[in-house]
Amino acid sequence: MDSGAAAVCAEKASEIIKIGQVDDVQELQRRLCSATTVPERYIRDGDDRPDHAVVDDERAQERIPVIDVGELQRGSEDELDNLRLACEQWGFFQVVNHGVEEETMEEMEKAAREFFMLPLEEKEKYPMEHGGIQGYGHAFVFSDDQKLDWCNMLALGVEPAFIRRPNLWPTTPANFSKTLEKYSVEIRELCVRLLEHIAAALGLAPARLNGMFGEAVQAVRMNFYPPCPRPELVLGLSPHSDGSAVTVLQQDAAFAGLQVLRGGGGWVAVHPVPGALVVNVGDTLEVLTNGRYKSVEHRAVASGEHDRMSVVTFYAPAYDVELGPLPELVADGEPRRYRTYNHGEYSRHYVTSRLQGKKTLEFAKI
């Protein structure tokens, strides 16, 4: 986060933000192990519950694309066309042969899980301030009547170095920082490659997007979803789109907790593919492509039997970059759907707003 974004979050934190009782969800789950209900603040209204408008259709799952990055690297025109269709029709896809070492992914998952399994007093050494977005706790909570997500988070700024808050990087487990550093380097390289191919799929020079990003911003958020006694009443993470250009998610294989909203209004589960990473288009890429590629609402649901964990990397332009639809992608006679704006301003808007579908993108619309 740049100094301006940090100042806004500090101002938010210093305001009297009445967020009410916000429990550590793992501790709450332990207290509720034999209960048949959950606190009222976690219970969603009818249309917002996880069983509403779910597409339980294996044929729908088959259409969630899987992209072979190795084939893209070898110059496959067919795979490049598959990538274009994935970005246009889904905004979500899984990637295989992506270049992130399996051992690196396993070590990151292990270190993150070990952190979440620590006693609460140890995790609370890295607190997320109210209105903040780095540290351990609950992000995007701004009022005491807001419905809460069934999730604990650890969020950290990674690159550039000035967005890091070293006091919030866990020292237990001992290898956490080293593991995250290694993981983040490999994920960053993947993001650069993906943006090259996404640019090529748009008919642009491969370096077009990366070249305008400056010193790209990279942040990571680890989400832990403990079992819930009433999973049909809660959400692990509220529906939202991402403010990034691209997001890369590593999910464990416990169960298909990630769901994507389809155009017809139904939620489709993203079933884990062994060794794959999930990639989605963020708001920034939607703006740059003038809506040709759209960011997509997604959410997480809880399980009554299994915990679930994910490691999510957000990759976006530098905060001082001016963003708007690329001139090459505004066809003759086609209106510009988004204005030009400073990416730092949009980032501040995003991190100080509740997760409410794609509402934050209204900031950029004409």
Side-chain angles (χ1 to χ4, degrees), residues 5-287:
V8 170
C9 282
E11 181 181 343
K12 275 274 189 182
S14 64
E15 294 173 359
I16 301 176
I17 301 177
K18 297 181 179 180
I19 65 172
Q21 179 69 29
V22 179
D23 292 299
D24 182 277
V25 180
Q26 287 168 265
E27 298 301 310
L28 181 61
Q29 184 265 335
R30 292 186 183 104
R31 296 201 301 269
L32 296 174
C33 61
S34 60
T36 57
T37 189
V38 294
E40 182 67 26
R41 286 196 71 184
Y42 295 89
I43 298 176
R44 299 286 174 150
D45 298 328
D47 289 350
D48 203 22
R49 291 183 181 177
D51 58 352
H52 179 76
V54 173
V55 179
D56 185 17
D57 184 350
E58 286 301 318
R59 290 172 300 175
Q61 167 56 30
E62 290 171 3
R63 293 198 299 271
I64 296 177
V66 176
I67 302 298
D68 189 328
V69 181
E71 286 297 307
L72 291 174
Q73 293 292 97
R74 286 186 283 273
S76 168
E77 290 295 330
D78 288 341
E79 200 66 2
L80 191 66
D81 195 51
N82 290 336
L83 175 63
R84 177 184 60 80
L85 291 173
C87 291
E88 287 181 350
Q89 298 177 1
W90 279 90
F92 257 83
F93 51 93
Q94 301 198 61
V95 291
V96 296
N97 296 321
H98 42 65
V100 181
E101 295 292 337
E102 182 178 355
E103 181 181 6
T104 302
M105 294 171 61
E106 291 174 351
E107 289 174 350
M108 186 69 258
E109 180 176 339
K110 181 174 182 290
R113 182 170 287 278
E114 286 180 3
F115 172 80
F116 284 113
M117 294 300 106
L118 292 172
L120 179 60
E121 56 269 23
E122 179 66 27
K123 292 182 286 188
E124 287 182 334
K125 292 179 180 178
Y126 315 99
M128 182 182 294
E129 297 174 341
H130 294 168
I133 57 166
Q134 292 202 48
Y136 175 75
H138 293 74
F140 307 105
V141 181
F142 299 107
S143 69
D144 57 6
D145 62 350
Q146 183 177 337
K147 293 296 183 182
L148 299 176
D149 293 330
W150 192 262
C151 175
N152 286 336
M153 299 178 178
L154 175 65
L156 301 169
V158 178
E159 295 291 346
F162 68 80
I163 73 169
R164 295 191 182 199
R165 295 186 55 185
N167 60 309
L168 297 178
W169 283 54
T171 57
T172 306
N175 66 337
F176 183 93
S177 292
K178 181 179 179 180
T179 300
L180 179 56
E181 293 274 14
K182 179 182 178 183
Y183 180 81
S184 295
V185 166
E186 294 189 28
I187 293 291
R188 192 176 185 88
E189 291 171 351
L190 171 62
C191 290
V192 170
R193 291 195 299 272
L194 286 172
L195 286 171
E196 289 176 348
H197 297 304
I198 288 171
L202 288 163
L204 304 173
R208 181 66 169 97
L209 296 174
N210 285 315
M212 65 174 295
F213 273 32
E215 191 174 8
V217 173
Q218 183 176 351
V220 65
R221 190 180 71 221
M222 300 159 211
N223 304 312
F224 187 83
Y225 308 92
C228 179
R230 297 295 303 275
E232 76 279 7
L233 300 179
V234 309
L235 285 177
L237 194 61
S238 299
H240 65 285
S241 62
D242 293 337
S244 58
V246 291
T247 299
V248 179
L249 177 143
Q250 176 179 336
Q251 59 176 341
D252 64 25
F255 76 104
L258 174 63
Q259 295 182 344
V260 176
L261 184 63
R262 292 297 285 147
W267 292 95
V268 177
V270 181
H271 293 272
V273 172
L277 293 164
V278 181
V279 177
N280 64 275
V281 170
D283 293 346
T284 296
L285 201 55
E286 176 168 336
V287 170

